[in-house]
Amino acid sequence: MESSSKLPLHLCHVHKLSIFINRTHMFFHSIALVFLLYYRASFFFIQDTTKTKATTLAWLLVFVSEIVLSFEWLLSQSFRWRPVSRTTFPERLPGDDKLPGVDVFICTADPEKEPTVGVMNTVLSAMAMDYPPEKLHVYLSDDGGAAVTLKGMREAWRFAKWWLPFCRRYGIKCRAPEAYFSAEDEDADFGGSEFIQDREDIKEKYEAFKKRVREKATVGDTGSRLSRDHPAVIEVIQETSSDDAIQENETKNMPLLVYVSREKRPSHPHNFKAGALNVLIRVSGVISNSPYILGLDCDMHCHDPSSARQAMCFHLDPKISPSLAFVQFPQKFHNISNNDIYGSQHRSVFWLQWQGFDGVGGPGVNGTGYYMKRLALCSSSIHEDGDPMKLRQSFGPSNEFIKSLHQNNKPDMLIHRKNALLNEAQLLASCSFENGTKWGEEFGFMYGSVAEDYVTGFRLHCKGWISVYCNPPRPQFLGRSYTNLDDVLVHCSRWTSGMVDVLFSKFCPLIYGPLKTHTFVQSMCYAEMALIPIFHLPLWCLATIPQLCLLNGIPLYPEVSNSYFIVFSFVFLSLISKHLYEVLSTGFTFRHWINEQRIWMMKSVISDLYGSVDGFMKKIGMREANFFLTNKVDDVDQLKRYNMGVFDFQTSILFLAPMTALVILNMASFAVGISRVIFLGELDKFFIQVFIPFYVILINYPIVEGMLIRKDRGRIPPSVTLLSAVVSLIFYFLGSIIFM
């Protein structure tokens, strides 16, 4: 029998059937697009007595929009070129004594929006991972400098002395206590009075833990007012009092737990999450200096304790390890309803795009759930010369941190050295340490955009590193996603703004990527992600121009009797049927397909518009960069409506008004179109232009319902409906002046 040392640690499965289907669809859809664009272009070269300047302008706007969207579709096919999936074999890893260390980075910023109990659940789940505890080190970055968060860390350490042995003793899989005690099937494999008694004891201790943390949260400083002005605070959390009830050997089997609050001053840029992560890189370098880093959002707990071992199946593979920068796990969520009206689980990204990304050189960094090689973040390229003088110029004047860059060097955490290292960590966390260095420009997580994960992953691939995507059957990490429309649109706007930052920087993937990344197809993936916000702006033309022209009796599409009608019909049916196939083939339903169509329209015309404007304003200096936290606190009424599959329109009027105005415009054009069909017999002439508003209304029926039918608190306010109707009317009159 072949020895386990010779067996592979992982396997890569190429999805040949998906490749065949995707490439066949690309071929036929591309041909149809060529005919469609030819039809549009031929209009400008054919002499037609009915052609007017207004008609030409409308035709041109629609033509340009179709060109841009066709190019966007072409780039998006890069994700479908070569999808792969991977299987790991953690049981084939070497013994625990040969496994490398892992530093876990968790970031939080505001205990009011990110409740301390939830953050501590993430901390506890990371501490309880199935990994040698002496090689596991958990760091929490608190950008709010909140006293309640530090106190919560101390309470989490106390509770962990009970929680970790319980998880190890019974092989508990979900090691976030809140999620574990909320689940009904986690104990299916256990029985017996001893386990039941232990579980009840731990549950009582957890309830007491939550009570203590929440008491401190009510009487302590929330820290939100200090978030931009506070000194550096670094504390290694450890035992302050003895507890005889816990066995001594169990108390020693605890990972290192470190609280880090970097210095922040209003006069110094803090570079948002990327700045916090770079501080953690430096501070951890002089404390634990593990060769691998796990990045986690504060609401993304470890749902399976084996993720570190699964990641090591790739990082310890000698065939790919020298060039492997990180292993990315998907983001999955525990608070998604069966209906998922807001598309909050990001099916297309984690079930489709990232598999395709993996097949052409590796996915980008996803912001959480990645196991990163420290060397990849602290080297100019794969082949780093390590010149000491250059290192000091690049990384700053810390001798201890320069020593940590040599992977063989381990910090000496003996008692007589501990205080010195913590003092050094204070320096590394100061807001002025990065002055004159290359942090955020060449090393660490990249600055210049709130989408630091995108830029960092792109730069790593441009330096020659590769990555892999690992999506096991059991989710390794579970977090909280959006359960209201406001969070969806705000988050998408923030992401769009970050992409505009990238698009107008030197790292624009259209000009920087093709010559740097491993494959041209991989650079197309990055380009598609960065260009989507700009590419979606022409959707405003398709959402208004055909409708205005229908209201004014101007045809923009071929008649039903025209052979090119088949081309336009094929392009539309090809797009929606391929999307439907992808939804169904990934295990979702027809209802999910409708929901994805709807939320795509909303985000494309609203969030991408505001995000693009925000990005442009930052670029020309009219607006400061900002980073809005997603609220992790549930509104009971909103959550109830979400679980019932009912849209909640309690969001900014800046989001609601244009969205509602577009629906009203489409309703008016559809009504006029039906009148033309019935009374003038123009079905053949205007079929496509009547169908477009019908499809928009059908998909966006919840907006119509929110305007005209619903009376609950989550409806669209009548004042917004009235304002939107006025805007639509003004838009119609302006359109009539232009297109008549």
Side-chain angles (χ1 to χ4, degrees), residues 2-177:
E2 190 176 11
S3 64
S4 60
S5 61
K6 295 182 180 179
L7 294 175
L9 293 173
H10 62 91
L11 293 177
C12 179
H13 312 281
V14 180
H15 298 179
K16 295 182 179 180
L17 178 59
S18 295
I19 291 175
F20 173 77
I21 293 173
N22 291 343
R23 295 185 184 182
T24 301
H25 174 260
M26 292 177 206
F27 176 74
F28 288 107
H29 192 83
S30 298
I31 293 176
L33 286 178
V34 170
F35 279 104
L36 185 152
L37 296 177
Y38 173 78
Y39 171 79
R40 286 292 182 204
S42 63
F43 172 85
F44 301 100
F45 301 100
I46 296 176
Q47 297 298 324
D48 188 346
T49 56
T50 64
K51 187 190 300 184
T52 64
K53 290 184 178 180
T55 307
T56 303
L57 175 61
W59 201 281
L60 179 63
L61 290 173
V62 172
F63 183 30
V64 171
S65 300
E66 290 169 344
I67 291 176
V68 172
L69 292 173
S70 296
F71 183 53
E72 190 272 335
W73 173 85
L74 180 64
L75 287 179
S76 71
Q77 299 313 295
S78 56
F79 291 105
R80 295 159 175 83
W81 187 251
R82 187 178 179 269
V84 301
S85 60
R86 300 180 185 271
T87 304
T88 60
F89 305 99
E91 67 276 6
R92 299 175 183 174
L93 286 170
D96 287 358
D97 58 324
K98 296 181 180 179
L99 292 178
V102 174
D103 290 343
V104 183
F105 291 174
I106 302 169
C107 294
T108 186
D110 187 345
E112 292 180 356
K113 292 187 176 181
E114 298 165 339
T116 306
V117 170
V119 176
M120 293 308 115
N121 265 268
T122 300
V123 170
L124 288 164
S125 70
M127 294 177 68
M129 284 198 297
D130 179 19
Y131 208 72
E134 69 277 7
K135 297 185 177 182
L136 191 61
H137 319 94
V138 180
Y139 294 81
L140 177 70
S141 170
D142 176 21
D143 254 11
V148 64
T149 305
L150 177 55
K151 294 174 183 177
M153 288 279 280
R154 294 168 181 159
E155 293 293 343
W157 172 265
R158 290 177 57 191
F159 176 69
K161 292 185 298 182
W162 297 94
W163 176 245
L164 270 59
F166 172 75
C167 292
R168 292 166 185 158
R169 186 180 306 122
Y170 295 105
I172 304 298
K173 286 189 175 295
C174 179
R175 299 193 175 181

Side-chain angles (χ1 to χ4, degrees), residues 373-615:
K373 183 180 292 180
R374 183 184 290 267
L375 179 63
L377 293 169
C378 298
S379 63
S380 299
S381 64
I382 291 182
H383 308 289
E384 178 68 65
D385 56 13
D387 179 21
M389 291 300 296
K390 290 182 179 180
L391 292 177
R392 289 182 63 85
Q393 293 174 0
S394 300
F395 293 101
S398 170
N399 292 330
E400 293 292 340
F401 183 74
I402 296 300
K403 292 178 184 178
S404 76
L405 294 174
H406 304 285
Q407 288 297 303
N408 292 330
N409 177 72
K410 288 294 181 182
D412 181 6
M413 284 298 289
L414 296 176
I415 298 298
H416 67 276
R417 288 278 292 153
K418 184 176 178 181
N419 291 334
L421 289 180
L422 289 179
N423 289 335
E424 188 74 13
Q426 292 274 352
L427 169 66
L428 292 166
S430 64
C431 58
S432 60
F433 181 82
E434 294 182 356
N435 294 345
T437 68
K438 294 184 179 180
W439 283 101
E441 298 177 4
E442 186 67 30
F443 305 109
F445 288 83
M446 297 294 104
Y447 299 157
S449 171
V450 294
E452 79 292 327
D453 48 357
Y454 172 93
V455 188
T456 301
F458 180 60
R459 288 285 287 121
L460 289 174
H461 283 126
C462 290
K463 289 180 179 181
W465 296 96
I466 64 171
S467 60
V468 298
Y469 179 59
C470 185
N471 186 11
R474 180 181 173 90
Q476 299 299 288
F477 305 98
L478 283 181
R480 300 179 59 81
S481 194
Y482 328 116
T483 56
N484 63 80
L485 183 62
D486 185 65
D487 281 348
V488 171
L489 297 179
V490 168
H491 177 83
C492 187
S493 299
R494 182 180 69 194
W495 173 258
T496 297
S497 179
M499 290 299 96
V500 172
D501 290 336
V502 175
L503 194 59
F504 291 95
S505 71
K506 66 177 181 179
F507 299 127
C508 174
L510 281 179
I511 57 177
Y512 193 87
L515 301 178
K516 302 278 187 177
T517 52
H518 283 276
T519 66
F520 180 75
V521 181
Q522 187 185 36
S523 67
M524 287 177 62
C525 292
Y526 274 112
E528 200 264 349
M529 293 170 65
L531 289 167
I532 272 184
I534 306 299
F535 282 161
H536 283 172
L537 294 181
L539 286 173
W540 274 88
C541 287
L542 297 184
T544 55
I545 304 302
Q547 291 79 349
L548 290 173
C549 288
L550 177 60
L551 289 169
N552 290 282
I554 301 173
L556 289 179
Y557 294 90
E559 298 177 354
V560 175
S561 57
N562 190 316
S563 58
Y564 278 99
F565 175 82
I566 299 175
V567 173
F568 279 82
S569 300
F570 178 84
V571 169
F572 173 76
L573 292 174
S574 171
L575 286 173
I576 65 170
S577 61
K578 184 59 163 55
H579 181 210
L580 178 59
Y581 162 76
E582 291 174 349
V583 170
L584 297 178
S585 64
T586 49
F588 293 83
T589 65
F590 182 79
R591 176 181 287 184
H592 284 95
W593 173 76
I594 295 176
N595 290 337
E596 286 190 12
Q597 290 272 316
R598 180 187 305 120
I599 204 67
W600 175 80
M601 290 183 185
M602 291 181 178
K603 292 193 293 188
S604 297
V605 298
I606 303 301
S607 295
D608 287 347
L609 172 65
Y610 285 121
S612 298
V613 171
D614 182 75

